[in-house]
Amino acid sequence: MSMSAATTSAPAFSSLAQVLAHWATRQPQATLFLAPETGASCSYGELADLTARLSAWFDREGIAPGEHVALYMPNGLGCLALFLATMCAGRVIAPLNLLAQRSQLAYVIDHCQAPLVLSTEALAPAVAEAAAGLQRRLRVLALDPDLLDGPWQALAPALAAVSREPDASALLMYTSGTTGKPKGAYLTQANLLAAAGSVAAWHGLGPADRVQSALPIYHINGQVIATLTPFVSGGSIVAPRKFSTSSWWETVRRYQPTWLNMVPTIIAYLLNEATTSGQGPATGLAASPGLRFARSASAPLPPEHHRAFEERFHLPVIEAMGMTETASVVFCNPMQGQRKIGTPGLCVGIEARVVDDQGRTLPDGQKGEIWLRGPSVMKGYFDAPVQTREAFSGDWLRTGDLGFRDSEGFFYITGRLKELIIKGGENIAPREIDEALLRHPAVLEAAAVGIADPNYGQDILAAIVLKEGVQADAALEQQLRAFCLDELGKYKTPREFRFLSELPKGPSGKVQRLKIAEG
């Protein structure tokens, strides 16, 4: 059975240029971006001016509407403004992952076919090195990521914005590529507007709302949830360059956001900081009286962390789930009424169903692969027809996520097809082991993976990050093994424990399990 979106409204705009024209006309002085480190800001009117000048500069440089422009710079006022302005100017923005290895960066720069990379003085050499073997002309423009300045400032504004058809591409976002070469999800103006509009309607966001988010602009969550959703709803964005436990709550107190955009890693580190420093509720809800909720997505939120955060900070956490191929929107827990811990929630602006290996829809409670369709689903992978065909069954996107739906329409994610541990023919979901280990008082983070075993085919390795002040030794390993035996039973108790200073993660904080298995 499929589940339709709950109480969402269709976006009122047909292009991002229309969004900008709407808000720049009605509230030109209203703040869009706030930069805590510098105290600088950018209004809707200033973004409209930047877009008009940038459009004129693109025209002068021969970069036509619909062409790709790569973005390789850290978060900052200028970086975030360029991300929006490029799309509002009718070009396709292609953010590049700052954490990508040189070989992956070289592949993406080549594959995306962008004639221009917007970067910084510090990062431009890395782009040049990665593009050394390129067989086409590539220009790298070094800018200050904290400023709106650029060569376009000297030009007279062109059209206020370049109108684009809803099905025109706007964002080329590459997946992390942990299992092979990165794939570029091609998201249209309509995809982005549907996603941002659905999230804004679901959370009841408007011009009076302000989000605080430190997620990178080269990740889909930072792009759609933290940037496009406030933009579409006329709100404002407090955007630190990066996340810091020591400054997070002070920034909340200073800028008074109404909601927080987070990932489970941020929640874990704020909890650990609060435990070691004795922070209490004053750092949460009391820091900003208008603060309504925290939104957690991009990776499963461990139930123990969910409960502990709400108890300590007196702030409700709304767990959600998205993916690059659906513009970061799939499921979310309801704002009103029943919220369930351990599930990303109900469908938001999208349809979902659970199927068996033959593509047949399964009844509630049975596990299978989750398929999706709806207005935020990408049109395909750029210049990758084979991968695009493999990703779809008709108009349904095959996610590779395993899970089930309960009788009330809530979806549960139990693992990934490629991350399942198959021990002696039995499927074991790594998340079950993660969550058991997180209940141990010494464990800050945990991730289970499958490793080769001559008897079972695969056995279990648990990678663990310990809380501050806890020492890894043989006694602790024995204690963890005994704990797992009690919690999971012998068959699911890890064969090996590996203690790490940090887990390998993508830019959103999602654990990259395959890298653990390789290392």
Side-chain angles (χ1 to χ4, degrees):
M1 182 183 295
S2 63
M3 181 71 182
S4 298
T7 61
T8 59
S9 58
F13 308 105
S14 62
S15 72
L16 295 172
Q18 280 190 5
V19 175
L20 179 58
H22 175 88
W23 294 118
T25 300
R26 283 160 179 75
Q27 51 177 31
Q29 303 303 318
T31 298
L32 174 57
F33 293 116
L34 289 153
E37 292 85 359
T38 65
S41 65
C42 174
S43 69
Y44 281 89
E46 287 172 322
L47 182 67
D49 181 74
L50 169 64
T51 299
R53 295 177 190 276
L54 185 64
S55 181
W57 186 78
F58 283 147
D59 289 342
R60 192 188 75 176
E61 298 298 310
I63 301 172
E67 282 202 77
H68 301 170
V69 175
L71 182 69
Y72 189 65
M73 62 172 65
N75 277 17
L77 189 74
C79 172
L80 300 180
L82 283 170
F83 169 76
L84 282 181
T86 300
M87 292 187 291
C88 289
R91 279 68 179 179
V92 179
I93 194 72
L96 307 180
N97 189 341
L98 297 189
L99 301 180
Q101 296 175 344
R102 182 184 177 278
S103 59
Q104 285 193 348
L105 181 61
Y107 173 80
V108 172
I109 288 174
D110 183 22
H111 187 267
C112 78
Q113 300 178 18
L116 171 69
V117 180
L118 303 175
S119 191
T120 68
E121 290 284 355
L123 294 175
V127 176
E129 183 182 0
L134 212 58
Q135 298 301 306
R136 59 179 171 81
R137 181 178 177 271
L138 178 70
R139 180 177 179 183
V140 182
L141 182 61
L143 303 165
D144 188 328
D146 293 317
L147 301 176
L148 303 179
D149 293 341
W152 43 81
Q153 291 299 109
L155 300 182
L159 294 175
V162 176
S163 181
R164 296 286 283 160
E165 295 300 318
D167 62 352
S169 297
L171 173 63
L172 176 56
M173 186 59 217
Y174 282 83
T175 60
S176 59
T178 57
T179 59
K181 291 181 178 179
K183 300 188 294 291
Y186 229 10
L187 293 162
T188 66
Q189 299 266 336
N191 290 154
L192 298 178
L193 289 168
S198 293
V199 175
W202 189 269
H203 293 307
L205 302 175
D209 281 294
R210 173 172 292 173
V211 64
Q212 180 168 308
S213 176
L215 301 185
I217 200 62
Y218 53 84
H219 188 268
I220 195 70
N221 188 321
Q223 295 158 2
V224 177
I225 307 303
T227 305
L228 283 168
T229 294
F231 173 61
V232 166
S233 57
S236 56
I237 304 158
V238 182
R241 291 182 186 131
K242 60 182 180 179
F243 170 70
S244 167
T245 55
S246 61
S247 62
W248 180 262
W249 294 118
E250 177 55 37
T251 303
V252 170
R253 277 190 288 271
R254 182 179 174 189
Y255 289 99
Q256 299 290 291
T258 60
W259 62 289
L260 306 176
N261 191 47
M262 309 170 84
V263 295
T265 300
I266 288 177
I267 288 175
Y269 278 85
L270 286 174
L271 274 172
N272 189 51
E273 173 72 11
T275 301
T276 56
S277 65
Q279 291 176 348
T283 51
L285 182 58
S288 178
L291 190 56
R292 295 194 286 127
F293 65 96
R295 188 182 196 272
S296 176
S298 295
L301 177 61
E304 294 303 308
H305 288 178
H306 194 154
R307 295 187 186 95
F309 187 91
E310 291 191 339
E311 181 179 347
R312 179 170 288 274
F313 298 115
H314 297 183
L315 182 67
V317 177
I318 309 298
E319 185 174 5
M321 172 186 162
M323 56 189 303
T324 300
E325 289 84 350
T326 63
S328 197
V329 177
V330 178
F331 306 125
C332 191
N333 270 267
M335 290 294 293
Q336 306 295 332
Q338 184 184 26
R339 287 185 297 121
K340 292 188 178 182
I341 289 179
T343 164
L346 306 166
C347 294
V348 178
I350 207 164
E351 290 181 84
R353 63 175 179 171
V354 181
V355 303
D356 63 15
D357 57 6
Q358 300 299 311
R360 296 171 297 208
T361 302
L362 294 170
D364 289 346
Q366 289 195 20
K367 296 179 182 179
E369 185 184 5
I370 295 173
W371 287 9
L372 305 169
R373 71 177 177 187
S376 65
V377 175
M378 68 172 184
K379 65 180 181 181
Y381 294 115
F382 173 65
D383 197 24
V386 174
Q387 290 90 334
T388 298
R389 285 195 298 271
E390 291 173 348
F392 285 90
S393 178
D395 59 350
W396 288 94
L397 176 69
R398 307 176 62 164
T399 69
D401 285 316
L402 298 173
F404 64 94
R405 198 190 84 153
D406 71 12
S407 60
E408 296 175 296
F410 286 77
F411 284 79
Y412 291 77
I413 308 301
T414 58
R416 293 275 303 165
L417 280 171
K418 294 178 180 179
E419 291 179 349
L420 270 181
I421 301 169
I422 305 176
K423 180 178 177 179
E426 180 180 345
N427 292 344
I428 299 173
R431 186 178 176 183
E432 180 183 1
I433 300 165
D434 299 351
E435 292 180 356
L437 284 164
L438 286 168
R439 290 192 287 271
H440 191 280
V443 177
L444 176 64
E445 295 184 283
V449 298
I451 53 174
D453 183 89
N455 298 316
Y456 293 106
Q458 278 191 314
D459 211 320
I460 304 163
L461 163 71
I464 293 170
V465 177
L466 297 172
K467 291 182 178 177
E468 189 174 346
V470 180
Q471 296 297 317
D473 54 28
L476 178 60
E477 182 173 338
Q478 185 177 357
Q479 185 185 114
L480 289 171
R481 192 178 304 280
F483 182 82
C484 288
L485 285 169
D486 287 340
E487 294 282 322
L488 298 164
K490 184 177 180 180
Y491 201 73
K492 295 181 180 179
T493 292
R495 187 186 79 188
E496 295 182 21
F497 293 87
R498 181 182 298 165
F499 298 103
L500 303 174
S501 59
E502 60 181 2
L503 299 178
K505 300 185 183 84
S508 69
K510 185 179 294 183
V511 175
Q512 297 175 318
R513 295 182 193 270
L514 296 180
K515 287 190 176 181
I516 296 173
E518 293 167 0

